[in-house]
Every structure is written in structure tokens, then in C-alpha cells.
């Protein structure tokens, strides 16, 4: 970012989200002079930095939504947003799938006309020109462990948790035909319902009524996973309840009908909430 004049003696700019200064045409100062702390230009840059942070977070959240829902994204859209550093940071190194669902590659660059440059699992840089691409949820990736090992060899880092996202594979059997709940992570005790709800919110989940919830689009069908966390205005101890799934009309979905992504994301939410429980110490713990 260019240096901006701030009075007759100084110039200021943003450096890694922080307002820094230098004497006009001189070297950068170690700290912001007192005379500039309340300067209108410094305040304007601080507001810009806050907006950039919000924009970067919004880009990451949108890419996460595409990935969790395995939604097809137009290549033209990716090409349009790629020059934006925040979008590029969120999208770079994401595993993508084009026209061939068996060909997975890591996105490294995008040309203005929508051609994607990806590194495939053979280590070759290839160009793809599909109309749409999918950012697959990791539970849908075949040979996920091999993909993770290859990503480690390449030094792949992702702003959006994808290939190293915790996943749960749905058991092929073991649940009653009419069962609609899983209690693997029920019974996690918290000092207060407020603390449990705050944990859910901090993890990015929505709190609605007595539940922590997350929405997933799995196989073209919208599903909401929910974990009971206690009555909204209860001020005593609380604990995690059962995990269940509901369709768009609010009807409970049988476990046998829950898709692989919805299952994994629901279990991930339940496990993350349970992990914050109060751990008792001592002989009777």
C-alpha cells in the first residue's frame, strides 16, 4: 500500500494490518508518533484495516460454505475474485475437482479467463477449464490419508480447514432402523448453560433455542444437525445432549438417511462441544 501524507512531517501506511509511520521520504519509524495517533488519516487507515479483516473473514467463511456443502462453483466466479488478495488467500491450495470427479488437484493459480492451474496427485501442474468446480468435503475424498501425505510433501497450507478437517465416517450398521439420535458425545458437563452456548458460538455454530446447530447441504438436500445444550435462560449447570438431524421442514431424519457430509459435520460439532466439558479430578473422577 502507498504511503499517505499525514501533516507536513510524516507519511503513514498499513503494514500487516497496523498503522506505521515514517518521516516524509525517510525510513520507517519503530512506533507511531504521539502526534499521529489521533490524526484523521491514521483513524481512516485503522477503519480500513478493520474492514479488510472483516472482508478476509467473510471470504474464508464463504469458501468454507462451498466446501462443507460441496456446491459447484462457476470457474468464471473464481477467476473474477482471484485478484483480490483475501479471496486468493482463502482459495489457494484448496483441493478442487473439475469435470472428472476422480481427478483431485490443489488450486495454485487462476487465469483471467477462468483457466485453473492445479497440482494433481502425481505432482504435475495441469490446467483445467471446467464450467464449474467443486471444493469437496474431505469425507468425500477417496484415499484421504494419501491426499494428506501428499499435501504435507508439497507444504500445502489452507486458510479453510479442508484436507486436515476432522472427519467421521458413518457406520454401515449398528443403529436401530428408526433411530434418529446419536449419544456418543452426550453428557459433557459444563458449569453453566451460558458457557456451553458461548463455546458453541466461538466455534462458529448457531445457537437457537436450546440447541447448537449447523446447516449442511448434502447430496443436494439441506440438513441441519443439532445438539441439545439446555434451556436458553437456565443459569445452572448444563450438559451436552443427543445429536440429531432435521430436514428443511424440521422433521427428524433417521440415521440411516443421514448423508456422509451431514454425518461428519454433525459429529464434528458434537465432539467439539463435548471437548470443552468440565473434567473432574481425583479418585472418584
Amino acid at each position: 500500500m502507498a504511503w499517505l501524507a499525514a501533516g507536513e512531517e510524516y507519511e503513514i501506511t498499513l503494514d500487516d494490518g497496523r498503522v506505521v509511520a515514517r518521516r516524509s521520504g525517510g525510513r520507517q519509524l519503530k512506533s507511531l508518533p504521539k502526534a499521529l495517533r489521533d490524526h484523521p488519516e491514521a483513524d481512516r487507515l485503522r477503519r480500513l484495516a478493520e474492514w479488510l479483516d472483516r472482508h478476509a473473514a467473510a471470504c474464508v467463511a464463504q469458501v468454507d460454505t462451498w466446501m462443507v456443502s460441496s456446491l459447484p462453483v462457476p470457474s468464471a466466479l473464481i477467476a473474477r475474485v482471484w485478484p483480490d488478495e483475501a479471496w486468493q488467500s482463502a482459495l489457494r491450495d484448496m483441493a478442487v475437482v473439475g469435470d472428472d470427479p476422480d481427478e483431485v488437484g490443489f488450486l495454485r493459480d487462476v487465469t483471467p479467463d477462468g483457466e485453473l492451474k492445479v497440482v494433481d496427485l502425481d505432482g504435475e501442474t495441469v490446467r483445467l477449464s471446467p464450467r464449474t468446480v467443486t471444493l469437496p468435503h474431505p469425507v468425500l475424498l477417496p484415499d484421504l490419508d494419501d491426499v494428506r501425505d501428499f499435501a504435507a510433501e508439497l507444504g500445502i497450507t489452507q486458510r479453510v480447514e479442508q484436507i486436515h478437517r476432522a472427519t467421521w465416517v458413518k457406520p454401515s450398521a449398528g443403529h436401530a432402523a428408526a433411530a434418529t439420535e446419536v449419544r456418543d458425545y452426550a453428557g459433557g458437563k459444563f458449569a453453566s448453560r451460558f458457557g456451553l452456548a458461548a463455546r458453541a458460538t466461538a466455534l462458529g455454530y448457531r445457537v437457537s433455542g436450546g440447541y447448537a446447530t449447523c446447516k449442511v447441504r448434502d447430496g443436494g438436500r439441506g440438513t441441519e444437525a443439532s445438539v441439545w445444550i439446555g434451556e436458553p435462560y437456565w443459569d445452572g449447570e448444563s450438559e451436552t445432549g443427543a445429536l440429531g438431524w432435521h430436514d428443511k421442514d424440521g422433521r427428524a431424519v433417521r440415521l440411516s438417511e443421514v448423508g456422509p457430509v451431514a454425518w461428519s459435520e454433525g459429529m464434528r460439532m458434537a465432539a467439539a462441544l463435548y471437548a470443552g466439558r468440565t473434567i473432574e479430578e481425583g479418585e472418584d473422577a
Side-chain angles (χ1 to χ4, degrees):
M1 183 174 176
W3 289 90
L4 305 174
E8 296 181 0
E9 297 183 34
Y10 298 103
E11 295 175 328
I12 57 177
T13 190
L14 282 179
D15 182 12
D16 196 24
R18 185 172 61 93
V19 179
V20 296
R22 71 180 183 185
R23 294 191 181 279
S24 297
R27 63 182 178 82
Q28 183 174 316
L29 303 177
K30 292 183 178 180
S31 61
L32 194 67
K34 186 176 181 180
L36 293 181
R37 291 174 189 171
D38 296 323
H39 193 282
E41 285 296 326
D43 186 56
R44 187 168 70 89
L45 284 183
R46 291 190 192 97
R47 292 199 302 271
L48 174 60
E50 292 171 357
W51 181 87
L52 289 172
D53 287 343
R54 292 194 300 271
H55 174 57
C59 293
V60 169
Q62 183 60 69
V63 174
D64 184 79
T65 297
W66 290 338
M67 185 271 300
V68 170
S69 301
S70 296
L71 289 171
V73 183
S75 298
L77 173 59
I78 293 179
R80 183 172 181 178
V81 301
W82 187 260
D84 184 320
E85 291 183 4
W87 275 108
Q88 190 172 138
S89 176
L91 286 164
R92 186 186 297 278
D93 288 335
M94 290 295 289
V96 299
V97 174
D99 294 327
D100 188 340
D102 295 324
E103 292 187 0
V104 180
F106 294 102
L107 182 62
R108 307 313 295 268
D109 198 7
V110 183
T111 64
D113 59 358
E115 187 177 62
L116 311 182
K117 296 180 181 179
V118 304
V119 176
D120 64 19
L121 299 186
D122 292 324
E124 300 292 334
T125 299
V126 298
R127 295 171 179 260
L128 304 177
S129 299
R131 188 177 63 83
T132 63
V133 294
T134 302
L135 286 58
H137 188 282
V139 79
L140 301 178
L141 286 173
D143 303 319
L144 178 57
D145 288 339
D146 292 340
V147 174
R148 288 171 171 168
D149 290 342
F150 181 68
E153 292 177 10
L154 288 180
I156 293 289
T157 58
Q158 296 179 317
R159 285 291 309 281
V160 174
E161 193 177 33
Q162 184 191 30
I163 57 172
H164 293 297
R165 194 181 193 90
T167 58
W168 279 257
V169 177
K170 181 181 174 182
S172 57
H175 298 292
T180 58
E181 293 182 340
V182 177
R183 301 193 61 84
D184 294 33
Y185 298 104
K189 295 183 178 180
F190 286 74
S192 69
R193 192 269 183 188
F194 174 80
L196 179 49
R199 178 172 178 80
T201 301
L203 290 168
Y205 298 114
R206 179 171 175 262
V207 173
S208 177
Y211 295 89
T213 67
C214 69
K215 290 184 177 180
V216 179
R217 190 169 182 82
D218 193 347
R221 183 177 69 172
T223 308
E224 184 174 66
S226 61
V227 174
W228 174 255
I229 61 172
E231 295 293 345
Y233 300 105
W234 174 251
D235 61 359
E237 291 185 354
S238 189
E239 64 180 46
T240 55
L243 163 67
W245 290 263
H246 298 80
D247 64 18
K248 61 183 180 63
D249 296 318
R251 292 188 293 262
V253 178
R254 293 182 180 183
L255 300 185
S256 60
E257 299 172 356
V258 176
V261 176
W263 179 275
S264 185
E265 287 300 300
M267 293 293 283
R268 179 174 180 265
M269 174 177 64
L273 294 175
Y274 185 78
R277 69 194 184 282
T278 300
I279 305 295
E280 296 181 3
E281 299 181 356
E283 296 181 0
D284 298 328

